[in-house]
Each structure stands twice: as structure tokens, then as C-alpha cells.
Amino acid sequence: MNSHKDLIVWQKAMSFVEDIYGLTKKFPEEEKYGLTAQLRRASVSIPSNISEGAARNSKKEFEHFLYIGLGSVAEIETQLELARRLNYVTFSTVETQLQNITEIRRMIQGLIGHLISNKD
């Protein structure tokens, strides 16, 4: 790997961020500093932590940042469910995004597994 940009999980996470920004544009204005901001921050956190971890000095540090990214994945799942319950998005929209975030989670977990099995 020459750069974090070479990681497919980073690429998918970046696309997911774009999806979340598009989705939250449709949220009510009163959510601008609430759920909209939370979802956007959590989604940006995923590729940000992947890239920061990849730039670190050790596999252990990379692993640490990947776990932070997994925390953001869990936040997003909760926030999407809340958006659905508040009728800001449809069930099918949430399902599509949950499928995307599930794929990203699996990829992050796979990368963590790879790092663990190939310790320094």
C-alpha cells in the first residue's frame, strides 16, 4: 500500500460520506446542528480515521484508529434508525445505507484481522 487512498475500504467510506451528505440535505432545517451534523461528523470520521491510522508508525496504531472508525459505524447505525423513526428518511433509504455501512464495517474488521495476524 502506497497510500490510504489505495485502500478499497477508504474509497467506499468516502462514497458513503457523499451519500450521507446528500441524504441529510433533505432533513428539516431545525436538525442542522442536531442529527444532520451528527450523521455528517460520524460519516467523515470513518475515512478520516482510516487515513490517519494508515499514516501512523505501527500496525498497532493503525488498528487503534480502525477501532475508532468502527465506533463511528455504530453511531451511524443508531442515527439512521433515529432519522427513520422521525420520518426524515424512508425505510428503504435507511436499509440501503445500512447495507453500505455493514459492508464498510466488514471491510474494517477484515483489515483489523489482517493487521492482528501480521503483527510487527
Side-chain angles (χ1 to χ4, degrees):
M1 173 182 79
N2 294 323
S3 166
H4 63 274
K5 293 179 182 180
D6 296 330
L7 295 169
I8 295 171
V9 66
W10 180 85
Q11 296 166 14
K12 287 190 181 288
M14 289 294 288
S15 294
F16 182 75
V17 172
E18 292 176 292
D19 291 345
I20 291 298
Y21 267 73
L23 182 78
T24 56
K25 279 183 184 179
K26 300 170 188 160
F27 282 15
E29 181 63 27
E30 69 261 17
E31 286 296 342
K32 183 176 183 179
Y33 300 108
L35 193 54
T36 298
Q38 284 291 112
L39 261 166
R40 288 178 176 191
R41 274 194 296 271
S43 68
V44 169
S45 172
I46 299 168
S48 297
N49 277 292
I50 293 168
S51 61
E52 184 169 356
R56 293 295 176 137
N57 237 0
S58 71
K59 291 178 183 178
K60 186 71 177 163
E61 286 182 291
F62 192 6
E63 180 185 334
H64 170 76
F65 282 92
L66 291 173
Y67 277 114
I68 294 171
L70 282 178
S72 297
V73 166
E75 283 184 61
I76 290 166
E77 288 174 327
T78 298
Q79 293 160 359
L80 285 172
E81 175 61 19
L82 181 58
R84 187 197 60 78
R85 289 181 181 201
L86 295 170
N87 295 312
Y88 297 164
V89 291
T90 64
F91 179 80
S92 64
T93 299
V94 168
E95 284 302 304
T96 299
Q97 294 310 320
L98 288 175
Q99 288 172 359
N100 291 336
I101 202 68
T102 297
E103 180 180 12
I104 291 168
R105 172 193 283 117
R106 287 184 185 137
M107 294 176 83
I108 292 172
Q109 289 170 330
L111 186 50
I112 290 169
H114 176 75
L115 292 171
I116 290 170
S117 66
N118 294 298
K119 291 277 185 193
D120 289 329

